[in-house]
Amino acid sequence: MSTVLERVTKVIIDRLGVDENEVKLEASFREDLGADSLDVVELVMELEDEFDMEISDEDAEQISTVGSAVKYIESKQG
Amino acid sequence: MGKLDGKSAIVTGASRGIGKDIALYLANEGAKVAVNYSGSKERAEAVVEEIKASGGEAFAIQANVDKADDVQNLISSTLEKFGSIDILVNNAGITRDNLLMRMKEQEWDDVLNTNLKGVFLCTKAVTRQMMKQRAGRIINITSIVGVSGNAGQANYVAAKAGVIGLTKSSAKELASRNITVNSVAPGFITTDMTDALPEDIKSQMLSQIPLAKFGNPVDIAKAVAFLASEDANYITGQTIHVNGGMYM
């Protein structure tokens, strides 16, 4: 069973085409990983599919870094 | 072999008028069609039967396009049946004509909700799937009056002009995901409604049309099918006027 971080990392690598060692917890999707606003929307969509959850538009706006995505998903998984 | 073999489409407001002909024509070109209706269940089912009778695939589905939950159900039901959504035709529309000074707030709201908000909701809902597919065609039915203006139709004209702006904005947002968004603007098209007009009004309208005849719903359907096909790969954000030259 992969950890949340491992699964999030894989989604990010697949979607943004970045190198695994660039995907650090503090990395910002837009500033560090070269995502545009639409990429971030798509990323959130894929995280929803990967973790079988719904992320509201308000929550999605708070997800801007790798760490914030992991933290959000972990909090929802209780 | 049709232009749209293997594609799947949603046509809103497809139980009658121009929407019906669009549904029939897309099916004729090989597309599977979700025939959306708001109130006319029997008519929508008749359209489905007509498509099936010619060997096509279709189903009827109720949804009010100005209700987000209805729209979500329209999208997910179509996805369930067809496995993809390649084409969305935002056609559903109503009129509540009145002079500006007599227009009730309700008449304004009803027309804006169905004709403009409905396009927004359907576009928003289908975009998720089309982005995943990295392909999609959205075709919005606007109107000649959305660019020319028309006395007695302030609400309708505002909505139709809004659709043109929405078309351009969504075209820009979605282009990088290979989704094109275009509009078709019908002029004076023969329908039950226009058949009922008095002869003198009709001849006065005719005098303003350089091609000297009214259009048929299928003229609109053909423009829609073109925009939905591979032939229109490099066209996005545009409004195609189909009006016999009535407005240039």
Side-chain angles (χ1 to χ4, degrees), chain B residues 10 40 55 57 59 76 103 107-108 120 122 124 173 243:
Chain B
I10 295 174
S40 319
E57 197 179 330
F59 73 102
S76 47
M103 188 172 288
E107 292 170 334
W108 173 270
F120 158 68
C122 291
K124 182 180 175 186
E173 272 189 34
N243 61 26

Side-chain angles (χ1 to χ4, degrees), chain A residues 15 38-39 42 45 48-49 57, chain B residues 124 128 131-132 134 173 176-177:
Chain A
R15 165 57 44 226
L38 208 51
D39 288 322
E42 278 191 300
M45 272 165 41
E48 287 181 320
D49 290 344
D57 290 343
Chain B
K124 182 180 175 186
R128 184 185 178 101
M131 277 175 57
K132 279 190 196 171
R134 285 290 188 272
E173 272 189 34
S176 67
R177 301 309 192 261

Side-chain angles (χ1 to χ4, degrees), chain B residues 6-128:
Chain B
K7 303 288 185 192
S8 62
I10 295 174
V11 182
T12 66
S15 61
R16 55 180 148 180
I18 291 173
K20 173 184 168 181
D21 276 71
I22 292 171
L24 293 174
Y25 196 81
L26 295 184
N28 193 45
E29 289 290 340
K32 296 170 276 192
V33 184
V35 176
N36 160 253
Y37 64 95
S38 166
S40 319
K41 184 165 196 254
E42 288 78 19
R43 283 171 181 250
E45 276 163 1
V47 174
V48 169
E49 286 316 309
E50 195 172 335
I51 290 172
K52 285 183 175 165
S54 1
E57 197 179 330
F59 73 102
I61 176 160
Q62 199 281 335
N64 290 333
V65 293
D66 60 346
K67 303 271 184 300
D69 290 346
D70 282 19
V71 168
Q72 199 50 57
N73 181 52
L74 169 66
I75 302 297
S76 47
S77 303
T78 306
L79 203 50
E80 222 167 85
K81 291 229 193 250
F82 296 157
S84 70
I85 304 172
D86 305 297
I87 302 157
L88 167 67
V89 183
N90 284 309
N91 166 78
I94 58 169
T95 55
R96 296 283 182 273
D97 297 352
N98 214 338
L99 290 173
L100 194 55
M101 292 189 65
R102 300 210 179 281
M103 188 172 288
K104 294 175 187 64
E105 210 177 323
Q106 193 65 50
E107 292 170 334
W108 173 270
D109 288 345
D110 286 350
V111 169
L112 268 289
N113 281 341
T114 300
N115 298 14
L116 183 55
K117 184 183 174 187
V119 178
F120 158 68
L121 288 176
C122 291
T123 301
K124 182 180 175 186
V126 84
T127 298
R128 184 185 178 101

Side-chain angles (χ1 to χ4, degrees), chain B residues 184-199:
Chain B
V184 174
F188 197 101
I189 304 298
T190 305
T191 60
D192 296 347
M193 187 180 76
T194 54
D195 281 346
L197 289 173
E199 280 308 315

